[in-house]
Amino acid sequence: MGRHGTAPAAGTPAPPPGRLARLRARLPTVIERVALAAGAAASTTLVLAWAGVRWRTAVVAGAVAGLLVLVAAGVAATVPAPHESPARETRTGP
């Protein structure tokens, strides 16, 4: 998420043009986001059910948590990559 979900640096070659190539390049990111959302939904549902909340309510809350994780991952991917900054000079001594 966040800066790590942005496009690769300028030195990295772009994937070849084409619909299938774009899909293959984007698929791992989508799978990671869906897996993270599924884990959030399942854990939220199980914890709420264990705490004594009705199953229907726990499932709805779990679905909402999963949806929020998907939205947060999508929004975090829009954060621009950090700017390249020149190396800082390090001081040694007084």
Side-chain angles (χ1 to χ4, degrees), residues 46-79:
L46 292 175
V47 166
L48 289 176
W50 173 75
V53 177
R54 292 186 320 158
W55 270 101
R56 177 182 277 171
T57 306
V59 169
V60 169
V64 169
L67 180 63
L68 285 175
V69 166
L70 280 177
V71 169
V75 169
T78 64
V79 174

Side-chain angles (χ1 to χ4, degrees), residues 3-93:
R3 294 183 204 167
H4 307 290
T6 58
T12 307
R19 188 174 186 184
L20 187 58
R22 285 192 309 265
L23 178 64
R24 283 186 185 155
R26 191 155 163 81
L27 191 60
T29 303
V30 171
I31 290 173
E32 288 174 359
R33 290 179 185 173
V34 168
L36 184 63
S43 61
T44 300
T45 300
L46 292 175
V47 166
L48 289 176
W50 173 75
V53 177
R54 292 186 320 158
W55 270 101
R56 177 182 277 171
T57 306
V59 169
V60 169
V64 169
L67 180 63
L68 285 175
V69 166
L70 280 177
V71 169
V75 169
T78 64
V79 174
H83 296 288
E84 296 285 331
S85 61
R88 293 184 184 177
E89 294 181 23
T90 56
R91 291 173 151 188
T92 55

